[in-house]
Amino acid sequence: MKVGMVCFPTFGGSGVVATELGKALAARGHQIHFISYNLPARIDIFNNNLFYHEVNVSTYPLFDYPPYETSLASQMVNIVKNEKLDVLHVHYAIPHASAAIFAKQILAAEGIYIPVVTTLHGTDITLVGRDPLYEPVVSYSIKQSDVVTAVSESLRIDTYKHFHIEDKEIKVIPNFIDFSKFSKLKVEHFKKLIAPNGEHLVVHTSNFRKVKRVDDVVKIFAGIIQEVPAKLLLIGDGPERANIEQLTRELGLSESVSFLGKQEAIDEILSVSDLFLLPSEQESFGLAALEAMACEVPVVSSNAGGIGEMNLDGFSGFTCAVGDTAAMTSRSLEILSNQETLKKFKQQAFLQSKKFEIGNVLPMYEEIYESLCTAKLA
Ligand code: GMT
């Protein structure tokens, strides 16, 4: 099949899901055409089945806000026609779903039918999408999509709560891990470098937005380090970073906290880590935590959104109420307190992550594409 994969070219979240899905589909012989404003991170361009089409936005003195959605819809129209795509799969509702519906309508006027699959990822529903500034367009795009998927049951419920989509069906297809590409690596020498005195390594990855509550990560760590020797690795970058650096200085933790910025080799860092913290205010799934679990790292998280569907309380780690940093500190110490407990949680985290093996998830998407193509031919 020929699939147009529309996504943000970001280091985490929906961009990673789209890229990993596209790579895995390409490995199974499908032709995947990525459509984005930049080459998606983690993409492997040396693959005969992977293609990348850039969306360019022209500037003009009249445009205070360059019309990205218009360029994107036009690019989709061109690629569907030139590459003879079978289906458009868009990740993140804004603006990808509405642009795809626009493209679909333009193509229909020319007698070309292109089905649209929309995958909802999280903030496109829970934070940004439900804003009255966007809601009518998002509701319409969801209703007009041929198939809609959400990455967790919690996100499915939130979508019905926040949007006027009547009884439109939403299928839950969870995020996944391709263990052939992402698993614990043997990089013990690396651990000696970062934690020369055998300190525990605590890690957090995010886009440093307020919703991630990275300040809670630092507060939890401040409690951990009072009881056990540890270092905190903060991966990623975003609007809150300067505030977090300031908090780290105020709490006298600068020596123990490293800001690593955006990193490509996340698996190498996770492979030497002992605990992952995800205290988010909202989180539809928490792919970053699942990636940690795949590298045998237990997770202490909030119980927001769909996190609890992935991080099993008391098994792969613990979930606590949003903002309860005292509970998160004590749960972290419970895991780190002795080598036996830590080993048990590491094994359990890995076991839990195996439920999200790509092999269990890929056929769900393939089935959707196939049913749409069959409907197209009928
Ligand atoms: O976490 C973010 O803000 C990025 C966002 C995205 O779309 O890139 O992540 C969302 O999608 C991920 C992939 O499906 C989920 O694992 C994240 O939980 C979700 N983020 C939120 O709901 C805050």
Side-chain angles (χ1 to χ4, degrees):
M1 253 172 297
K2 293 184 176 184
V3 182
M5 198 69 81
V6 183
C7 64
F8 288 115
T10 45
F11 272 84
S14 56
V16 164
V17 174
T19 312
E20 295 299 341
L21 176 63
K23 280 164 35 179
L25 288 165
R28 279 163 76 102
H30 301 289
Q31 211 182 79
I32 308 300
H33 293 260
F34 283 96
I35 303 171
S36 191
Y37 59 80
N38 231 324
L39 188 70
R42 295 196 189 183
I43 207 172
D44 166 19
I45 43 165
F46 300 107
N47 182 316
N48 288 338
N49 284 334
L50 287 182
F51 301 84
Y52 167 59
H53 307 268
E54 194 151 300
V55 180
N56 293 303
V57 185
S58 61
T59 51
Y60 184 69
L62 195 63
F63 297 153
D64 272 349
Y65 306 100
Y68 178 70
E69 199 168 337
T70 307
S71 302
L72 176 60
S74 294
Q75 183 68 312
M76 287 191 216
V77 168
N78 292 334
I79 295 160
V80 168
K81 283 205 282 197
N82 297 337
E83 305 292 344
K84 308 217 169 355
L85 298 188
D86 296 304
V87 59
L88 279 173
H89 186 173
V90 301
H91 293 261
Y92 207 87
I94 305 170
H96 299 154
S98 46
I101 298 306
F102 193 19
K104 180 183 166 88
Q105 288 166 353
I106 295 168
L107 288 159
E110 296 180 28
I112 300 168
Y113 169 70
I114 184 80
V116 172
V117 179
T118 295
T119 292
L120 307 172
H121 279 274
T123 47
D124 46 352
I125 296 302
T126 56
L127 216 64
V128 196
R130 59 186 285 213
D131 187 321
L133 287 172
Y134 301 115
E135 184 279 321
V137 173
V138 177
S139 287
Y140 180 78
S141 317
I142 290 174
K143 276 195 293 195
Q144 294 299 313
S145 297
D146 294 271
V147 173
V148 180
T149 74
V151 297
S152 65
E153 181 56 28
S154 149
L155 185 60
R156 193 180 84 92
I157 293 167
D158 278 342
T159 309
Y160 286 120
K161 207 184 326 169
H162 299 310
F163 294 90
H164 301 101
I165 54 167
E166 288 112 39
D167 54 359
K168 179 80 185 179
E169 187 192 358
I170 300 175
K171 293 178 200 289
V172 174
I173 303 187
N175 289 331
F176 54 83
I177 298 284
D178 184 345
F179 285 88
S180 68
K181 301 205 181 70
F182 203 98
S183 58
K184 190 176 170 86
L185 304 167
K186 290 205 181 325
V187 282
E188 278 310 306
H189 60 283
F190 185 41
K191 178 145 193 169
K192 290 203 182 84
L193 215 66
I194 315 173
N197 303 312
E199 297 94 333
H200 287 305
L201 283 182
V202 181
V203 66
H204 168 81
T205 315
S206 76
N207 50 19
F208 281 61
R209 295 189 186 279
K210 270 210 177 306
V211 70
K212 300 291 177 183
R213 298 184 71 105
V214 189
D215 50 340
D216 281 2
V217 171
V218 175
K219 289 175 198 163
I220 298 162
F221 179 71
I224 293 175
I225 204 171
Q226 279 181 17
E227 303 293 330
V228 295
K231 296 218 167 198
L232 174 62
L233 306 177
L234 292 173
I235 306 169
D237 213 330
E240 283 299 299
R241 174 156 171 184
N243 292 338
I244 302 304
E245 287 185 8
Q246 175 66 19
L247 177 65
T248 305
R249 283 191 291 272
E250 280 167 16
L251 295 177
L253 296 172
S254 302
E255 289 290 300
S256 309
V257 180
S258 302
F259 288 82
L260 302 182
K262 289 179 182 165
Q263 293 284 331
E264 297 239 9
I266 300 275
D267 47 354
E268 286 188 10
I269 300 167
L270 292 172
S271 294
V272 294
S273 299
D274 299 297
L275 181 68
F276 188 92
L277 297 176
L278 189 71
S280 309
E281 183 90 32
Q282 279 174 18
E283 200 72 64
S284 66
F285 184 89
L287 179 62
L290 180 64
E291 291 189 333
M293 284 155 54
C295 293
E296 302 177 21
V297 184
V299 173
V300 169
S301 66
S302 72
N303 57 8
I307 299 182
E309 295 171 43
M310 178 264 313
N311 181 23
L312 277 197
D313 191 35
F315 188 72
S316 50
F318 290 103
T319 58
C320 306
V322 173
D324 193 347
T325 52
M328 291 186 209
T329 303
S330 102
R331 289 308 202 181
S332 301
L333 287 167
E334 203 173 320
I335 292 174
L336 297 175
S337 59
N338 71 66
Q339 285 304 328
E340 274 312 298
T341 316
L342 179 57
K343 194 173 161 201
K344 183 183 85 178
F345 271 98
K346 284 187 171 194
Q347 286 166 349
Q348 291 174 174
F350 179 67
L351 271 181
Q352 172 65 3
S353 74
K354 285 298 252 182
K355 292 186 189 156
F356 298 87
E357 167 110 60
I358 192 166
N360 300 332
V361 173
L362 206 62
M364 298 189 207
Y365 283 117
E366 281 180 310
E367 212 171 279
I368 290 174
Y369 302 156
E370 271 156 22
S371 71
L372 289 170
C373 289
T374 312
K376 190 174 175 176
L377 294 174

